[in-house]
Amino acid sequence: MGRVTSRRRLVRIVDGTVSEPLDTLAAEEPLEIRVHGRPLVVTMRTPGDDFDLAAGFLVSEGVVRSAGHVAGIRYCAGATADGVNTYNVVDVVLAAGVAPPDPSLERNFYTTSSCGLCGKASLDAVRTVAAWSVRDDPLRLDPDVVSTLPETLRAAQRVFDRTGGLHAAALFSADGRLHCLREDVGRHNAVDKVVGWAQRNGRLPLRGTVLMVSGRASFELVQKAVMAGIPALAAVSAPSSLAVDLADDAGLTLVGFLRGASMNVYAGAHRLKRPTPSTLPA
């Protein structure tokens, strides 16, 4: 398997003093996901949890739902002339009776780690029909618990501590217990790795959970949460307008700018327990 980090020498200048230390960088390599040997997509990712990434991507695209929908995932030969396994190609074998991906899902270009799976033709095309509805999920959230999620996520980011260059996605219970955390150079990959972990362990749909992400909340991250049956998504930064629209349409609770005890709830505020307003003086 590829390395999660890489060491590189750099030139550092501090107050006019020059040094040449070694620095630790987050690794970024391509991963080609195949289904039954047929190439589906190439994404730039941080090596590690590649099977989770492949499974989560297929959940996000509506190809698989339960653990039983995937018969197996394996690494296959890479692109080197001598056939050496680069651990940058995975092949997913679907269970009997599971329909293969629609040809329209095939991407003829690389997916960058920064933007996610771009190139969808229209808003209608990206609104994949979800297998489960999150609108009626009875999840209730205590703002005091929600405010602890960023610190818990940050404390569990092992590779970030060494590189400072990775996004993270984490799955929490309503009482703040951490179920799963994944890191990657791509926000969308980190979420797919969490969803894939759940798919491979038979945990879908992820009712009663909160997905916490280390960056902003894009349309695609909201879509991935909805597709996995996650009723709440929290981000330390801003959501996009389309992310709010989709969250509102789907009945998902969307929290942005979650920093300390402050947060903005852009959709699904009914799930948060609200403190009793203070009585203001006349």
Side-chain angles (χ1 to χ4, degrees):
M1 184 181 297
R3 292 179 297 172
V4 176
T5 62
S6 177
R7 297 279 283 172
R8 292 290 188 275
R9 190 167 298 281
L10 56 84
V11 174
R12 177 175 293 156
I13 303 174
V14 180
D15 295 329
T17 300
V18 179
S19 61
E20 296 185 7
L22 285 171
D23 196 15
T24 302
L25 307 177
E28 182 176 27
E29 296 181 8
L31 178 70
E32 179 180 302
I33 299 174
R34 299 176 181 174
V35 177
H36 292 293
R38 180 170 180 170
L40 180 64
V41 68
V42 176
T43 185
M44 299 302 296
R45 99 303 189 193
T46 299
D49 302 303
D50 292 331
F51 292 179
D52 287 348
L53 174 55
F57 171 77
L58 293 177
V59 171
S60 297
E61 295 294 342
V63 178
V64 303
R65 299 177 183 176
S66 69
H69 285 177
V70 175
I73 306 176
R74 66 182 181 88
Y75 286 107
C76 45
T80 59
D82 55 5
V84 173
N85 197 335
T86 62
Y87 294 97
N88 284 336
V89 182
V90 297
D91 190 24
V92 181
V93 178
L94 302 178
V98 178
D102 188 280
S104 65
L105 291 183
E106 295 180 14
R107 270 68 170 194
N108 295 318
F109 52 84
Y110 282 95
T111 297
T112 67
S113 58
S114 59
C115 74
L117 294 171
C118 306
K120 302 256 189 172
S122 66
L123 185 63
D124 289 338
V126 84
R127 289 178 187 261
T128 310
V129 177
W132 308 283
S133 172
V134 300
R135 182 172 298 280
D136 298 327
D137 193 301
L139 173 71
R140 293 281 287 169
L141 295 171
D142 185 335
D144 290 340
V145 173
V146 174
S147 68
T148 67
L149 301 187
E151 183 178 352
T152 302
L153 178 146
R154 177 66 185 83
Q157 282 190 263
R158 293 177 297 175
V159 181
F160 182 90
D161 283 338
R162 296 157 58 194
T163 66
L166 288 181
H167 290 286
L171 189 71
F172 290 93
S173 63
D175 60 2
R177 287 179 292 116
L178 176 63
H179 292 313
C180 175
L181 181 140
R182 294 290 185 265
E183 294 178 281
D184 200 279
V185 287
R187 292 174 296 111
H188 60 290
N189 287 338
V191 171
D192 274 342
K193 287 178 178 181
V194 169
V195 173
W197 166 84
Q199 186 275 335
R200 298 179 68 215
N201 286 278
R203 291 174 173 252
L204 294 181
L206 288 166
R207 301 193 188 282
T209 60
V210 183
L211 179 66
M212 177 77 213
V213 296
S214 61
R216 62 187 180 87
S218 65
F219 178 94
E220 187 176 48
L221 297 194
V222 172
Q223 183 198 15
K224 290 178 183 296
V226 171
M227 292 297 291
I230 300 171
L233 170 64
V236 298
S237 192
S240 68
S241 61
L242 282 179
V244 175
D245 288 346
L246 179 58
D248 192 51
D249 288 347
L252 176 138
T253 298
L254 180 59
V255 178
F257 291 108
L258 177 54
R259 300 169 185 177
S262 69
M263 65 191 76
N264 294 343
V265 184
Y266 292 90
H270 65 281
R271 288 198 175 93
L272 272 82
K273 303 173 185 177
R274 304 196 187 189
T276 303
S278 300
T279 301
L280 299 177

